Amino acid sequence: MSGNDPKVSAERRVPDEVRFHLRLGWWSLLLFACLGLTLEAMHGFKVDWYLNVASETRRLMFRLAHAHGTLLALLHVAFGATLAVAKPTGRARRVASRALIAAGLLLPAGFLLGGFGAIGGDPGMGIGLVPLGALCLLTALFTVGWSLRPPTPAPEVKG
Amino acid sequence: MNALLWLGVAASVGGLVGVLAARGAGWTVRAIALLGGSTAAALSVVAFIPPAPDVDLETRTPEMGPSGGFASSDTCRACHPGQYESWHDSFHRTMTQVATAETVVADFDGRVVEGYGLAARVFRDGEQYLVDFGPAVDGEPGPNDASLPEGPRRVVMLTGSHNMQAFWMTAADGKLEQLPFVWLIEEERWIANDNSFLQPPADEPADPAIWGDGCVYCHATGGPWDSEFVGLNGDTAVVELGIACERCHGPAEEHVLANSSPARRYALHLAGEGDPTIINPKRLDHVRSAALCGHCHTACEEAVDNDEDFFAGDLLSDHLDFDAMHAMAAEASDVVDPDDLDDDVRDVVEAFWRDGRARVAGREYDSMTLSGCYLEGEMSCTSCHRVHGGDPNGQVAHDSTDRSMCASCHQSYFAAVEAHTHHPAQSAGSDCRNCHMPHTSYGLLSATRSHRMASPGATGLGGRETPNACNLCHLDQSVAWTAETLEDWYGIESEALPEDRAELPAGVVWMLRGDPVQRAIAGWHYGWAPSREASELGVVRPAFGVLLADPYSTVRQIAGRIAVEHEGMTIDMDALAAEPQEALMRELRDPDPSVPVETLRRLLNERIAVPASIPE
């Protein structure tokens, strides 16, 4: 069985991860493009719940959810490509992957929930997810950046 | 200077880009590119240069901005966009504004407006609105008093945006003084300021109102309370013009600072509790809630010892002595000539009917607080009115009907409406307000509803007596008929009625024999749709015609407006004078009147001579 072959599974693990982020990215892109279309439709049909002056905060939150969701979808695609090309180290790869997945969920979800529960000029309680998501995103970005640093040259052995 | 500098820099950069783009081309192309680049860049900068501030206008209007714990409505907008918007749509916001092309609706088109021995040319010079009292009419000296300064004076501010606009201009000593002419918005015409008030005819105009002397407090936010204050422009500093958020919610600086912390805001949201750093009228008891409106919508100026500034949430009775005001009005209600009274007493007396109801619009608090609904119940202004979400006309809640407003306490009557009203359920006679809140207050060339909710009675035949609700609709019926009907339907017993007029149509009696306020209100009801439906107008028409020549300008204007609208008459409203309007009255004359001509003459000869003066 090739699955039990440590050499083969080590080679396939990377492509799986790449494929996972690419799939997640493209599907997310579709999802958030649909959200964008929905927001545009609400403009088109002059939906009071969305366009009312009192819904200013809700409108902002939904736009932020759309923008962050789309951006994070693209980041998943970029991360997948990075994994394929640059092959970061194992630990950094795992941390960045998990942090990016968490950010991709928390940031748009936080803005969406904040929009649904908006109270006057304040977003709903769901907005609390956003700082967590932002932390995850920063972690992912830092980890990827760090993992791609040039390798330290091995010290020369004299004599 | 800055603008010129930026213009130069932009033109140079644009030209350089043009030349670089045309690199290698001939000299002609390069020259065209240089010129095109410079022009395009300069034009784009011009588009972004803000207009120069109107320093002259700024120095002539009151100093404005947050101070004394106030934050201003702009600050409220960020957190309360919906409330800000509904307030922004209201006539409270536009109560007083700086005079600009966006706010002035009057025609400053170079015409000469005249009245009360004054003439003024109103015109524009660019963004400036100007008034010239000097020699203006075809180069001939105008009729103005020689004391009026010659030369154009700038109109810098205006008050009113709903019915009429009054204008403020800088006087020679720097005070803001009211222009003696106002613009009627719906009719689109100028009239003398004195003709917009219900007051006896006079040869000379009244002294002009001074902004800092009693006007600023109720027509701006954060202005001085003391009506004796006489300010020069600049020291009548206000937070903002018009009635803004902090008039009802109190100074908000502390609230704004406290809520810059999201943790605090979310703790309050979670707890579902009110914020103690701001006043929310919904959370006040009905007495304090009504006081928010009452500190302007009252005739009371009798300060109690503790006359510190009133702020939202205070008890108004801690600041104003309403008992003293009502006692003063009652004591002086039989006075023959209000001119014999001190000005302060006269202002109070003129504000009320004999039974204590306010007869002046804008004094709703004084009437409402005498109502059982307020005294024994918990009714407040916000029971019916909404600043946020109400129709800007009257600020009544969009979803309110007379029934929804009254049914919260008086549900039993609505189970069988006709049994109570004796009128068809869907008719004006079954609208609670028409019987319990008739239009018995005068203001702004119109009649407005009394806010003293009370049962109708057979009243109104004496001077300063409130015209009764039944006869304001049934103008053709007598007060005796009303007395009998009320006794028959509700067991209400009436006091003895004066025999010489009790059996005559009440509308005729009020229009011919009534005091000036009764005439104005009866005249207005001649044009009111429910009255026109319920009354046989032919009975009242001859008396109505007499109002076209009433000595009081406002009565003539009310009658004239209605005659044009409902009688199809052609009237030059500017020429409607207190002289027999034979031609006009002939149109309304009935060759065979229901009320004999001799009786009409007698009533006219007996007209109540007590003058009335309502500067509203």
Side-chain angles (χ1 to χ4, degrees):
Chain A
M1 294 287 285
S2 62
N4 294 333
D5 184 342
K7 263 189 173 176
V8 174
S9 64
E11 281 168 7
R12 287 192 62 182
R13 199 176 303 137
V14 176
D16 279 353
E17 215 163 11
V18 169
R19 190 176 296 113
F20 173 78
H21 278 285
L22 288 174
R23 285 177 62 204
L24 187 58
W26 286 107
W27 282 113
S28 298
L29 208 51
L30 176 67
L31 178 71
F32 288 104
C34 289
L35 175 62
L37 190 66
T38 310
L39 299 186
E40 283 163 19
M42 285 202 276
H43 270 287
F45 291 102
K46 301 289 176 209
V47 177
D48 192 53
W49 178 77
Y50 180 65
L51 293 181
N52 192 300
V53 178
S55 305
E56 199 174 293
T57 307
R58 172 173 299 139
R59 216 160 42 246
L60 175 66
M61 290 298 112
F62 286 178
R63 286 204 304 261
L64 286 172
H66 168 58
H68 281 80
T70 308
L71 180 75
L72 280 153
L74 291 173
L75 267 184
H76 276 295
V77 174
F79 183 63
T82 306
L83 286 181
V85 174
K87 298 187 173 57
T89 57
R91 182 176 164 73
R93 193 180 63 233
R94 279 196 302 278
V95 171
S97 171
R98 286 169 190 171
L100 197 58
I101 293 166
L105 290 171
L106 291 172
L107 276 169
F111 284 123
L112 265 180
L113 292 173
F116 277 114
I119 319 155
D122 280 330
M125 297 294 175
I127 198 71
L129 300 178
V130 169
L132 297 175
L135 200 64
C136 292
L137 177 62
L138 293 177
T139 305
L141 296 176
F142 176 79
T143 313
V144 174
W146 181 256
S147 70
L148 296 179
R149 70 193 183 283
T152 317
E156 285 181 24
V157 182
K158 289 182 179 175
Chain B
M1 189 58 209
N2 263 347
L4 278 177
L5 186 69
W6 278 112
L7 210 62
V9 170
S12 310
V13 173
L16 189 64
V17 170
V19 169
L20 286 175
R23 207 172 31 172
W27 282 108
T28 316
V29 175
R30 281 198 230 178
I32 292 171
L34 171 72
L35 201 65
S38 308
T39 312
L43 284 177
S44 23
V45 166
V46 166
F48 288 100
I49 293 175
D54 190 337
V55 178
D56 179 60
L57 189 62
E58 284 176 10
T59 52
R60 287 168 189 264
T61 45
E63 190 182 325
M64 285 173 257
S67 64
F70 286 85
S72 96
S73 55
D74 287 342
T75 317
C76 307
R77 183 182 192 175
C79 293
H80 307 283
Q83 287 86 347
Y84 178 91
E85 185 66 13
S86 51
W87 161 77
H88 199 267
D89 286 345
S90 75
F91 292 111
H92 275 98
R93 178 186 70 83
T94 51
M95 172 71 75
T96 301
Q97 302 172 92
V98 173
T100 65
E102 287 77 39
T103 58
V104 174
V105 296
D107 284 342
F108 280 73
D109 52 4
R111 74 179 73 184
V112 174
V113 290
E114 293 179 81
Y116 278 79
L118 289 176
R121 189 164 69 90
V122 289
F123 63 105
R124 275 185 79 167
D125 180 6
E127 295 297 306
Q128 298 195 14
Y129 292 85
L130 299 159
V131 182
D132 193 348
F133 289 93
V137 188
D138 299 330
E140 296 293 317
N144 298 320
D145 190 310
S147 65
L148 282 168
E150 283 194 20
R153 296 167 71 184
R154 186 166 185 190
V155 167
V156 295
M157 223 163 65
L158 58 94
T159 292
S161 59
H162 194 187
N163 299 292
M164 59 178 75
Q165 278 194 332
F167 298 92
W168 300 93
M169 54 192 181
T170 320
D173 57 4
K175 291 174 188 170
L176 283 175
E177 183 181 286
Q178 194 184 342
L179 177 70
F181 300 96
V182 296
W183 175 258
L184 301 182
I185 293 172
E186 193 181 332
E187 293 182 50
E188 297 184 343
R189 68 188 181 97
W190 289 96
I191 59 169
N193 189 32
D194 290 285
N195 283 344
S196 72
F197 295 152
L198 194 147
Q199 57 189 11
D203 297 327
E204 293 181 354
D207 290 337
I210 303 296
W211 170 251
D213 184 11
C215 302
V216 58
Y217 182 73
C218 283
H219 295 87
T221 300
W225 162 262
D226 186 351
S227 62
E228 292 301 314
F229 180 88
V230 177
L232 303 177
N233 62 321
D235 62 4
T236 49
V238 297
V239 174
E240 54 193 302
L241 297 177
I243 307 304
C245 315
E246 288 161 294
R247 284 311 293 257
C248 301
H249 296 281
E253 188 182 55
E254 186 193 347
H255 174 70
V256 172
L257 285 174
N259 287 294
S260 57
S261 154
R264 182 178 193 278
R265 293 201 306 276
Y266 282 96
L268 287 170
H269 291 322
L270 280 172
E273 289 171 4
D275 184 346
T277 61
I278 197 76
I279 296 296
N280 182 345
K282 275 186 189 168
R283 294 197 173 93
L284 294 176
D285 63 61
H286 77 291
V287 175
R288 289 174 199 270
S289 168
L292 297 176
C293 309
H295 72 292
C296 279
H297 289 263
T298 179
C300 190
E301 293 185 0
E302 299 303 304
V304 295
D305 291 342
N306 174 19
D307 63 349
E308 292 169 9
D309 286 354
F310 172 89
F311 287 112
D314 289 355
L315 281 175
L316 198 48
S317 54
D318 283 347
H319 298 270
L320 295 172
D321 191 340
F322 290 95
D323 291 340
M325 176 190 70
H326 285 298
M328 190 190 290
E331 270 175 35
S333 63
D334 286 325
V335 68
V336 175
D337 188 351
D339 283 338
D340 295 339
L341 300 169
D342 289 341
D343 283 352
D344 289 351
V345 179
R346 179 180 177 144
D347 286 347
V348 168
V349 171
E350 294 285 28
F352 295 98
W353 294 106
R354 197 180 289 272
D355 60 7
R357 292 171 208 236
R359 65 174 188 169
V360 186
R363 313 291 184 267
E364 291 79 7
Y365 178 83
D366 298 330
S367 284
M368 196 268 289
T369 49
L370 296 178
S371 307
C373 302
Y374 172 86
L375 294 168
E376 294 163 32
E378 293 185 351
M379 193 185 76
S380 178
C381 310
T382 53
S383 303
C384 305
H385 296 279
R386 301 275 184 282
V387 172
H388 302 297
D391 182 346
N393 291 303
Q395 303 265 205
V396 176
H398 284 304
D399 55 352
S400 282
T401 62
D402 63 308
R403 295 186 186 177
S404 69
M405 287 188 266
C406 303
S408 56
C409 291
H410 302 283
Q411 187 60 52
S412 60
Y413 293 115
F414 295 98
V417 173
E418 292 183 10
H420 173 65
T421 67
H422 299 270
H423 287 76
Q426 299 306 322
S427 71
S430 285
D431 182 328
C432 315
R433 296 168 300 180
N434 290 339
C435 299
H436 300 284
M437 295 177 65
H439 295 82
T440 53
S441 298
Y442 168 81
L444 300 169
L445 299 170
S446 183
T448 59
R449 288 192 186 280
S450 166
H451 279 64
R452 182 176 184 177
M453 292 77 190
S455 297
T459 60
L461 287 178
R464 212 188 288 277
E465 272 191 29
T466 322
N468 71 73
C470 306
N471 288 120
L472 283 175
C473 216
H474 298 277
L475 289 166
D476 58 330
Q477 297 290 351
S478 68
V479 176
W481 169 86
T482 294
E484 282 171 29
T485 308
L486 288 175
E487 184 166 6
D488 187 26
W489 287 355
Y490 305 107
I492 297 173
E493 289 189 17
S494 302
E495 291 180 10
L497 298 171
E499 288 179 10
D500 60 337
R501 49 193 186 274
E503 301 290 345
L504 295 173
V508 173
V509 176
W510 288 327
M511 289 175 188
L512 297 179
R513 190 187 181 278
D515 68 34
V517 189
Q518 288 172 337
R519 300 202 296 273
I521 284 175
W524 182 87
H525 277 85
Y526 186 82
W528 190 48
S531 305
R532 296 186 71 80
E533 198 175 316
S535 305
E536 193 182 320
L537 292 170
V539 174
V540 195
R541 189 171 285 117
F544 173 75
V546 175
L547 298 183
L548 292 169
D550 197 277
Y552 280 64
S553 167
T554 45
V555 178
R556 294 198 298 275
Q557 290 182 68
I558 290 171
R561 218 151 50 178
I562 291 165
V564 169
E565 187 180 344
H566 294 290
E567 299 292 339
M569 297 171 75
T570 305
I571 296 177
D572 177 0
M573 295 293 286
D574 292 330
L576 201 57
E579 295 154 4
Q581 306 286 322
E582 278 304 325
L584 295 175
M585 287 158 70
R586 204 176 298 126
E587 290 185 46
L588 300 172
R589 199 164 287 158
D590 185 346
D592 185 21
S594 312
V595 181
V597 174
E598 297 72 35
T599 308
L600 297 176
R601 284 214 181 92
R602 173 176 67 81
L603 288 170
L604 194 55
N605 289 334
E606 289 174 0
R607 177 170 279 181
I608 295 167
V610 180
S613 183
I614 297 183
E616 185 65 39

